[in-house]
């Protein structure tokens, strides 16, 4: 499913002001993907490519405030042009028909609300699936489902890896 996408360069997001951010939330993209269930053979990111695990921040904020955890994107990546790239990792998703437009819209809004004084977001919200789940027919179903609701880009991990100007290893 190699398509042409714009290219990014990952930079460390550690300087971003995020409500409740702690040093352990800035982790390698490789580790975040692995923790969310990415198949080992599909995870090509290097240890130095850093992202922020937004789920950990939301869980901690909920405990501190004694509230329910708010849904957010699973991972945030920052590019060299200071654009925030939000991704939701769907490696455990087996039935793509259960994806909710409202849920993804809410996750996008909640993720943006976490960031303080940052308004430079990438236009797309990325959903990452394993290559076994995201077949061409399922990709078509997702695109139809999200048509005119959000700029949702369903991708395999390999396609997401290519967004960052990598060659396949």
């Amino acid at each position: 499913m190699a398509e042409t996408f714009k290219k990014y360069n990952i930079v460390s997001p550690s300087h971003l002001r995020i409500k409740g951010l702690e040093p352990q939330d800035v982790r390698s993209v490789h580790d975040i993907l692995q923790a969310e269930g990415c198949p080992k053979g599909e995870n090509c990111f290097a240890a130095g490519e850093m992202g922020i695990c937004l789920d950990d921040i939301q869980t901690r904020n909920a405990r501190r405030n004694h509230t329910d955890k708010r849904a957010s994107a699973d991972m945030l990546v920052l590019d060299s042009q200071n654009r925030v790239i939000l991704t939701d990792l769907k490696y455990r998703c087996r039935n793509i028909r259960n994806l909710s437009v409202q849920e993804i819209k809410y996750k996008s809004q909640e993720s943006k609300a976490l960031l303080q004084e940052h308004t430079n977001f990438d236009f797309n919200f990325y959903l990452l699936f394993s290559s076994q789940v995201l077949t061409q027919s399922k990709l078509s179903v997702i695109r139809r489902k999200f048509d005119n609701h959000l700029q949702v880009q369903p991708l395999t991990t390999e396609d997401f890896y290519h967004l960052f100007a990598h060659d396949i290893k």
Side-chain angles (χ1 to χ4, degrees), residues 28-124:
S28 76
V29 172
H30 183 275
D31 291 347
I32 296 170
L33 294 178
Q34 188 173 359
E36 290 288 334
C38 179
K40 291 182 184 190
E42 295 182 24
N43 192 346
C44 300
F45 285 90
E49 296 173 304
M50 306 304 281
I52 294 177
C53 184
L54 294 177
D55 273 349
D56 292 351
I57 296 169
Q58 290 288 38
T59 300
R60 208 172 30 256
N61 287 346
R63 274 192 220 128
R64 281 185 190 145
N65 300 327
H66 305 289
T67 59
D68 290 334
K69 179 184 166 192
R70 303 191 119 188
S72 67
D74 293 322
M75 183 175 66
L76 175 154
V77 178
L78 188 68
D79 83 343
S80 58
Q81 294 180 5
N82 210 31
R83 284 180 300 205
V84 171
I85 300 161
L86 298 171
T87 60
D88 203 34
L89 309 174
K90 298 292 188 186
Y91 297 116
R92 293 181 178 98
C93 176
R94 296 293 171 239
N95 186 353
I96 54 104
R97 294 186 190 283
N98 291 339
L99 292 175
S100 163
V101 173
Q102 285 305 108
E103 175 192 7
I104 299 303
K105 186 175 182 180
Y106 180 74
K107 284 184 172 194
S108 177
Q109 290 169 346
E110 286 298 319
S111 301
K112 291 174 182 178
L114 276 175
L115 283 116
Q116 301 168 338
E117 301 172 8
H118 194 91
T119 57
N120 192 12
F121 291 93
D122 184 67
F123 188 61
N124 294 315

Side-chain angles (χ1 to χ4, degrees), residues 30 41-49 158 161-162 166-169:
H30 183 275
E42 295 182 24
N43 192 346
C44 300
F45 285 90
E49 296 173 304
E158 181 181 316
Y161 181 76
H162 283 302
H166 293 108
D167 293 323
I168 283 295
K169 296 179 181 179

